[in-house]
Amino acid sequence: MICLGIESSCDETALAIVADGALLGSSLASQAGLHSIFGGVVPELASREHYHYIGPLYDELLAKTGIKQEDIDVVAVSRGPGLLGSLLVGLAFAKGLALALEKPLLGLNHLHAHLLAIGLEGEARFPALGLLASGGHTQLYRIESPSSFISLGKTLDDAAGEAFDKTGKILGLPYPGGKLLDDLAKMGKAEKGMLPCPCLGKDNLDFSFSGLKTAAAQLARKKAGPTGKLEGRDLENFCATFNLAIAEAICKKVKRAMSKNPDLRRLWLAGGVAANSLLREKLRELAYKKNVEFAVPSLELCADNAAMVAYAGWLMAREGYCHRLDLAAIPRGAKIPDDMLRKPAQ
Ligand code: KG4
Ligand code: ZN
């Protein structure tokens, strides 16, 4: 079965083809450079860029994979959460193709697709404890199957990636600052206990990063002194301290979720922030200590991509799921409806 995946939820336009569970190829246009000028993603510009690139990327993908469009069996698209205007570009393209090719349409939860992508690089067995950390979300799930994700906890304010990017901005790093902050942290030495570890009560599995972000801004100001700017070794040490505080805050909740769900013997980490070197190391260590299998995608599959959408679409289509052509795009903050249709097994 051949599944075309389309991703346009934020600032990457991407298309990919998965055939029988294996990635055949992908095409991507990143807008990072454009939005960097404004210090964050500008929604109107993002939709226009998606609109501009989506057609040419589709042609490029067919040419590079050698797949003819009549060979596509299912069209999968990220339906949310994301920027509404951006999602609509991907959805309109997916619906047009599904209609023209007379093939089923599938709208995927972008966050679930990030986690399911683990199956592209190794065997993904269920159930698993999943941590999704990206620019807009931080979510803990109990994952029972490709179509059954039970939320255990989520961020109550900023997402982990948002905390990285906003702190990066304070430090004068270009947007998005997460990767640069992580790279600088590798050269510095962390000072333990300088930043708070948000806990939110003994049993809570939710996250909160806004207090940590504010404390980090205050600490950066204090460390910078009269120049107002952290530089050189001081900057590296500050980044290491911040990186450690975020990794420890996340690990604390994951550890708690493991104790509350002792039957889950697998831990999956995904999303843009899953590229963070310290978080990968700390969660791998934690899983090892708890004798739990650990899986995280390779770095290129952590950031937004369409391979994860094509693969998750292939998994769902294999289970007989599809959507109607009136599939709605779901913006960030709104609930994704449980509106997939399931064809009876043949
Ligand atoms: O999943 P993603 O590509 O897009 C969303 O769906 O949001 O995540 C992007 C986020 C950004 O906030 C970016 O700064 C962060 O992932 N990020 C990192 C690293 N690489 C990307 N954060 C910390 N350390 C990294 N190495
Ligand atoms: Zn994402």
Side-chain angles (χ1 to χ4, degrees), residues 154-228:
K154 61 176 187 310
T155 185
L156 302 178
D157 39 57
D158 289 352
E162 216 169 337
F164 270 107
D165 297 341
K166 287 180 178 167
T167 304
K169 209 167 183 174
I170 287 165
L171 298 174
L173 306 178
Y175 177 87
K179 182 176 182 320
L180 271 167
L181 207 152
D182 186 23
D183 289 343
L184 287 164
K186 285 181 205 155
M187 295 180 281
K189 195 169 175 328
E191 274 187 89
K192 260 185 123 33
M194 294 302 282
L195 293 169
C197 187
C199 190
L200 302 167
K202 208 158 63 63
D203 280 335
N204 198 294
L205 292 181
D206 288 328
F207 300 88
S208 166
F209 294 106
S210 84
L212 177 54
K213 182 196 66 189
T214 308
Q218 282 163 355
L219 181 67
R221 247 193 315 273
K222 193 169 126 204
K223 295 257 175 207
T227 65

Side-chain angles (χ1 to χ4, degrees), residues 7 9 110-111 114 134-135 271-272 302-304 308:
E7 164 59 42
S9 65
H110 172 90
L111 310 179
H114 264 299
S134 70
C302 287
D304 282 349
M308 66 186 199

